[in-house]
């Protein structure tokens, strides 16, 4: 294990993870709202926000899939040390991290079962930029309408059609994070 | 993974069995005795602050078969780095953060030139205490061993 | 239906204060320390660890003190505490053949390697109250004897060598964990053992006793009962090798049971298994009997409808925290439910009275 893998975690895990959890919950329950998080210094290409989400949400019972360039030795070691999460193939993942391109096709990921819709994957999508300008979002947690700079709409519309099954997404860029749960309807503007 | 001389992933080399032995000894040691033997800690950076958690202990069905979950035990873990860059790890039974911190310091120091001295001042006394504790208990158990005897018959002289 | 009712706050605060004072008892009597409970009520501590499913003698002793000796309440406190702990991983399966035994007896073989070691047992005491303990706690040190280097192998190994007992299927599969995934029936033997080892000792004892009295008889012999310390070792991913993280005391029981054979298996002995935290031999023996009774299906035995053969009955009722939670909740306010019941009974009585009038 590289010595760098041992650094860059939370310095004060109870406080920092509680703040990060609050931000993640806000992001997912108010789609289109962009939150700022802090506390992780993960190895590239993992963003600060993706690192914070993993430190907060992933542990030994949540298998993680690393897609594309994110599947590097330094990222693997960092997650193993700080989260203890097993690294797995896409189909077995509870969380997946990567760029939108590297995640394709997203139909590889678990969408839950009718008895247990919660047994679905949550994708952490690393974005080149993240703003509220983009496709129109409506649904639970959104007053009237919101927007988010999504990479596309078709895949998210197809995912929404699976409701109550389907994946949930976080979109990350630097220290910014937004949420896009399966309940949100996405439309081109 | 990039190889690191201290963290060679090949299991069960001699270096490992030595390190495994002292890490196990530190984990089982009495926190009070360890603190008495090593009151002052060298400068270090904390990489993973002492953290109390649970480890699921597994058994095997019939003692030898498939694993099953028996129940958890409390464990405290800690990782730190000495000023010279050597990393020390600890996983110790119980909820004593100072115990985990000291065990990690000893693990790190044992990988430096201080090893020989530390073996004498810390590890040997811990080992002696453990051996005494185990032998005392075992010798009391040995005294409760049943010595069956059968009355001798026949013409054995 | 539950309705939020306000107004009890002061009464609740005062009830807590009253509880704290009663917990302390007569202040003229010296207060119990947690260390005293840990050292001198060790079997109660063991039971709380086993049923709380968390090995930590200090915490179990504290829970017993806080619960005023109510062991189920103490188990509840431990279960609540353990949910706050991050799970750092799972150990490698403990090797009970390497146990440093303080007690080891076999009811099936008199002479066996490692011998019969009685250990700190109640078995040969006369069950007469010892009034000396009421006066003076000083005890002379127990006698010692030289420790032999002899191995203490499992008794079932001898039978296994001759093919007289079923072989335990080997596997390293990750076992299911009922603290992480809700139990789904039918279960595997691994999940059953987890549920039984943390189950209520009284319930498991009664289930085991029912099999002895004929409700799912399994003809069990205690092949071996051993108690002692085993090392717990865990793989540490960041090190790339496994280390010992501590040492725990366990009680293990292996029963040897008669088996007539089936279409695929010759007549041979079969096994029941019990493994429990601490010195908890009654629970370990009972566990192995219940384990064996629940194996009727895989061994092709008849289901005679005995409670101990009914997986759902045993596993869904073994947990004393689930049981006491559901049982005790009925003492909490159900004013609205009861009001509805009351109105229903009044209406039925009125209807019945009207019908009686009409019938006259």
């Amino acid at each position: 294990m590289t010595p760098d893998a041992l650094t860059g975690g939370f310095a004060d895990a109870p406080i920092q993870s509680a703040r990060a959890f609050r931000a993640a919950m806000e992001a997912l329950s108010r789609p289109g709202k962009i939150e700022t998080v802090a506390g992780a210094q993960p190895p590239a290409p993992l963003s600060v926000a993706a690192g914070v989400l993993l430190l907060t949400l992933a542990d030994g019972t949540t298998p993680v899939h690393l897609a594309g360039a994110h599947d590097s030795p330094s990222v693997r070691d960092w997650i193993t040390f700080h989260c203890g999460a097993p690294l797995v193939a896409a189909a077995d993942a509870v969380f997946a991290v990567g760029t939108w391109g590297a995640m394709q096709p997203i139909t590889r990921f678990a969408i839950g079962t009718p008895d247990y819709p919660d047994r679905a994957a949550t994708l952490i999508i690393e974005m080149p930029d993240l703003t509220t300008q983009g496709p129109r979002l409506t649904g639970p947690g959104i007053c009237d309408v919101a927007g988010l700079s999504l990479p596309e709409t078709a895949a998210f519309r197809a995912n929404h059609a699976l409701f109550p099954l389907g994946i949930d997404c976080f979109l990350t860029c630097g220290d910014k994070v937004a949420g896009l749960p399966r309940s949100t309807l996405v439309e081109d503007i | 993974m990039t190889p690191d001389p201290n963290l060679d992933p090949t299991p069960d080399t001699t270096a490992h069995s030595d390190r495994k032995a002292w890490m196990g000894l530190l984990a089982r040691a009495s926190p009070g005795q360890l603190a008495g033997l090593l009151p002052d800690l060298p400068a270090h950076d904390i990489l993973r602050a002492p953290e109390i958690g649970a480890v699921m202990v597994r058994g095997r069905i019939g003692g030898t078969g498939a694993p099953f979950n028996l129940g958890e035990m409390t464990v405290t873990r800690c990782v730190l780095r000495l000023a010279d860059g050597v990393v020390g790890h600890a996983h110790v039974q119980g909820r004593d953060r100072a115990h985990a911190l000291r065990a990690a310091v000893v693990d790190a120091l044992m990988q430096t030139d201080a090893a020989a001295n530390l073996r004498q001042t810390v590890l040997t006394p811990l080992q002696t205490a453990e051996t005494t504790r185990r032998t005392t208990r075992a010798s009391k158990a040995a005294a409760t061993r049943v010595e069956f005897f059968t009355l001798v018959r026949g013409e054995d002289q | 239906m539950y309705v939020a009712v306000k107004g009890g706050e002061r009464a609740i605060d005062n009830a807590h204060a009253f509880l704290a004072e009663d917990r302390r008892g007569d202040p003229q009597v010296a207060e119990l320390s947690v260390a005293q409970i840990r050292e001198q009520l060790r079997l109660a501590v063991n039971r709380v660890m086993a049923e709380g499913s968390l090995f930590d003698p200090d915490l179990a002793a504290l829970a017993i003190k806080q619960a005023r000796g109510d062991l189920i309440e103490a188990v509840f406190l431990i279960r609540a505490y353990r949910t706050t702990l991050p799970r750092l991983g799972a150990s490698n399966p403990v090797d009970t053949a390497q146990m440093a035994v303080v007690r080891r007896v076999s009811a099936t073989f008199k002479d066996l390697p490692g011998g019969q070691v009685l250990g700190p047992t109640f078995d040969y005491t006369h069950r007469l109250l010892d009034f000396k303990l009421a006066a003076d706690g000083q005890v002379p040190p127990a006698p010692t004897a030289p420790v032999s280097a002899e191995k203490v192998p499992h008794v079932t190994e001898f039978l296994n060598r001759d093919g007289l007992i079923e072989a335990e299927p080997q596997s390293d599969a990750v076992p299911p964990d009922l603290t992480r995934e809700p139990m789904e029936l039918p279960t595997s033997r691994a999940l059953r053992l987890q549920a039984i080892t943390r189950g209520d000792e009284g319930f498991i004892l009664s289930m085991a006793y029912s099999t002895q009295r004929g409700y799912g008889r399994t003809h069990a012999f205690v092949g071996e009962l051993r108690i002692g310390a085993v090392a717990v070792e865990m793989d540490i991913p960041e090190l790339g090798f496994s280390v010992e993280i501590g040492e725990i005391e366990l009680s293990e029981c292996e029963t040897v049971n008669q088996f007539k054979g089936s279409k695929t298996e010759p007549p041979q002995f079969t096994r029941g298994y019990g493994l429990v935290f601490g010195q908890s031999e009654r629970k370990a023996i009972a566990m192995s009997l219940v384990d064996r009774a629940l194996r009727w299906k895989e061994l092709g035995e008849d289901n005679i409808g005995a409670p101990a053969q009914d997986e759902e009955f045993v596993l869904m009722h073994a947990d004393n925290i689930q049981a006491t939670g559901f049982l005790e909740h009925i003492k909490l306010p159900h004013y609205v439910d009861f009001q509805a019941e009351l109105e229903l009974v009044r209406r039925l009585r009125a209807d019945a009275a009207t019908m009686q009038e009409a019938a006259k």
Side-chain angles (χ1 to χ4, degrees):
Chain A
M1 186 165 281
T2 51
D4 289 348
L6 308 182
T7 59
F10 284 147
D12 185 6
I15 303 278
Q16 287 174 304
S17 61
R19 287 200 178 124
F21 185 83
R22 179 83 202 184
M25 190 175 68
E26 279 289 320
L28 213 50
S29 53
R30 303 188 193 287
K33 187 177 177 199
I34 295 176
E35 296 279 332
T36 304
V37 292
Q41 290 92 42
L46 209 53
S47 68
V48 168
V52 167
L53 286 175
L54 287 170
L55 289 179
T56 307
L57 302 175
D59 67 11
T61 63
T62 57
V64 170
H65 175 70
L66 297 174
H70 281 72
D71 190 6
S72 72
S74 55
V75 173
R76 285 178 154 258
D77 284 359
W78 192 81
I79 290 173
T80 299
F81 179 72
H82 293 282
C83 308
L87 300 168
V88 297
D92 304 318
V94 170
F95 292 102
V97 195
T99 61
W100 181 244
M103 294 278 197
Q104 302 307 316
I106 61 162
T107 48
R108 298 181 293 161
F109 298 101
I111 57 168
T113 65
D115 284 353
Y116 295 97
D118 55 307
R119 293 180 184 172
T122 298
L123 310 190
I124 300 172
I125 305 163
E126 298 267 46
M127 306 284 293
D129 59 318
L130 184 61
T131 68
T132 53
Q133 307 303 307
R136 176 188 145 94
L137 313 180
T138 51
I142 302 168
C143 184
D144 300 330
V145 63
L148 209 52
S149 56
L150 298 177
E152 64 164 286
T153 54
F156 296 112
R157 289 178 65 85
N159 183 54
H160 174 72
L162 299 171
F163 193 86
L165 306 187
I167 55 164
D168 302 299
C169 301
F170 284 108
L171 298 107
T172 50
C173 176
D175 61 357
K176 304 246 179 309
V177 56
L180 189 71
R182 64 189 91 170
S183 57
T184 303
L185 177 62
V186 177
E187 291 165 298
D188 283 312
I189 44 167
Chain B
M1 293 191 186
T2 317
D4 175 325
N6 297 323
L7 304 172
D8 184 349
T10 332
D12 289 324
T13 61
T14 319
H16 279 166
S17 58
D18 204 19
R19 190 167 177 206
K20 277 175 72 146
W22 78 59
M23 290 183 84
L25 179 65
L26 290 163
R28 297 185 304 266
S30 132
Q33 190 191 6
L34 180 57
L37 294 168
L38 190 77
D40 304 314
L41 301 182
H44 58 266
D45 288 329
I46 295 286
L47 300 178
R48 174 187 275 148
E51 179 189 16
I52 297 169
V55 166
M56 177 54 87
V57 180
R58 290 187 177 144
R60 285 191 183 277
I61 300 173
T64 53
F68 71 98
N69 289 310
L70 179 63
E72 290 162 308
M73 65 188 273
T74 50
V75 171
T76 307
R77 65 180 183 182
C78 176
V79 182
L80 48 76
R81 185 166 49 196
L82 299 181
D84 59 3
V86 180
V87 175
H89 293 255
H91 275 75
V92 304
Q93 182 167 10
R95 290 166 293 110
D96 192 321
R97 290 190 177 86
H99 182 191
L101 186 75
R102 274 206 173 73
V105 165
V106 176
D107 177 50
L109 288 173
M110 282 301 294
Q111 303 169 61
T112 67
D113 296 341
N117 181 40
L118 209 64
R119 193 181 288 278
Q120 207 174 4
T121 56
V122 177
L123 296 188
T124 305
L126 291 179
Q127 186 66 66
T128 308
E130 181 174 274
T131 307
T132 308
R133 181 169 55 79
R134 286 180 171 175
T135 312
T136 307
R137 202 138 171 87
S139 63
K140 284 174 187 172
T144 68
R145 181 170 169 162
V146 182
E147 303 293 349
F148 289 108
F149 58 91
T150 347
L151 294 176
V152 180
R153 282 177 293 186
E155 49 285 337
D156 227 21
Q157 297 295 315
Chain C
M1 181 181 180
Y2 305 93
V3 177
V5 178
K6 283 190 158 190
E9 207 172 323
R10 189 186 52 83
I12 290 169
D13 285 345
N14 293 348
H16 288 169
F18 194 9
L19 168 69
E21 197 180 285
D22 260 16
R23 177 190 294 123
R24 176 60 184 86
D26 182 352
Q28 303 302 314
V29 177
E31 189 182 352
L32 261 179
S33 73
V34 169
Q36 284 171 334
I37 296 170
R38 188 192 63 221
E39 295 302 314
Q40 297 173 37
L41 296 178
R42 198 176 294 181
L43 301 192
V45 167
N46 287 343
R47 183 166 177 182
V48 170
M49 293 197 299
E51 293 170 26
S53 203
L54 183 69
F55 195 98
D56 188 317
D58 289 299
L59 279 182
L62 174 64
I64 291 169
K65 179 172 178 173
Q66 186 177 336
R68 307 174 65 192
D70 178 341
L71 297 190
I72 291 181
E73 182 70 20
V75 170
F76 199 163
L77 294 169
I78 293 298
R79 290 274 187 93
Y81 176 83
R82 68 152 286 281
T83 64
T84 67
L85 296 174
R87 175 73 65 85
L88 304 184
S91 81
N92 298 336
V94 292
D95 186 359
T96 52
Q98 301 298 323
M99 181 185 282
V101 296
V102 292
R103 172 162 167 78
R104 189 272 197 130
V105 291
S106 169
T108 53
F109 297 100
K110 179 164 68 71
D111 295 305
L112 68 174
Q116 306 258 5
V117 179
L118 300 182
T121 179
F122 291 126
D123 283 356
Y124 307 97
T125 62
H126 293 114
R127 268 66 183 226
L128 297 173
L129 276 175
D130 181 357
F131 289 97
K132 283 206 303 292
L133 284 175
D136 176 16
Q138 293 300 317
V139 285
T144 59
V147 179
S148 91
E150 200 179 349
K151 288 265 179 221
V152 190
H154 278 125
V155 165
T156 45
E157 258 183 46
F158 315 140
L159 290 167
N160 204 11
R161 226 171 280 153
D162 302 332
L164 290 174
I165 192 163
E166 60 167 336
E168 206 59 78
Q170 299 296 306
S171 147
D172 278 316
V174 173
D177 182 355
L178 61 80
T179 69
R180 296 283 153 159
E181 296 284 339
M183 187 153 54
E184 285 178 52
L185 299 172
T187 59
S188 60
R189 192 174 171 201
L191 197 67
R192 293 198 299 253
L193 290 176
Q194 185 186 11
I196 299 170
T197 194
R198 74 208 298 266
D200 183 78
E201 182 172 314
F203 178 82
I204 304 300
L205 168 66
S206 295
M207 283 290 117
Y209 181 44
S210 73
T211 70
Q212 293 185 294
R213 290 194 64 255
Y215 291 88
R217 197 182 290 284
T218 62
H219 307 277
F221 292 94
V222 171
E224 181 172 352
L225 173 71
R226 55 169 67 197
I227 300 175
V230 297
V232 182
E233 196 170 294
M234 181 167 83
D235 284 325
I236 311 293
E238 57 267 30
L239 291 176
F241 55 88
S242 64
V243 296
E244 256 183 53
I245 56 174
E247 201 173 51
I248 61 175
E249 187 182 38
L250 295 178
S251 298
E252 182 186 48
C253 178
E254 287 192 276
T255 56
V256 177
N257 303 67
Q258 210 184 77
F259 180 55
K260 291 194 192 73
S262 67
K263 283 188 197 113
T264 52
E265 298 294 328
Q268 60 181 346
F269 292 111
T270 54
R271 300 158 180 259
Y273 189 63
L275 187 66
V276 186
F277 279 161
Q279 183 177 343
S280 310
E281 71 180 60
R282 182 188 302 119
K283 173 82 169 281
I285 300 169
M287 176 174 172
S288 56
L289 262 62
V290 174
D291 169 48
R292 178 60 185 80
L294 287 170
R295 296 182 62 209
W296 64 272
K297 201 184 279 180
E298 64 178 276
L299 294 170
E301 294 173 331
D302 291 335
N303 177 8
I304 63 156
Q309 289 180 313
D310 184 337
E311 176 176 75
E312 205 244 329
F313 185 85
V314 174
L315 302 184
M316 291 301 186
H317 302 125
D319 192 283
N320 53 24
I321 299 312
Q322 283 174 7
T324 203
F326 198 65
L327 181 108
E328 293 198 54
H329 101 279
I330 65 170
K331 72 193 171 188
L332 300 173
H334 284 66
Y335 306 137
V336 176
D337 307 53
F338 187 70
Q339 203 59 43
E341 292 279 310
L342 203 59
E343 265 164 45
L344 181 65
V345 170
R346 281 188 182 131
R347 203 167 61 233
L348 291 174
R349 283 171 66 95
D351 289 353
T354 318
M355 278 177 35
Q356 267 175 359
E357 281 298 317
K360 271 183 193 167

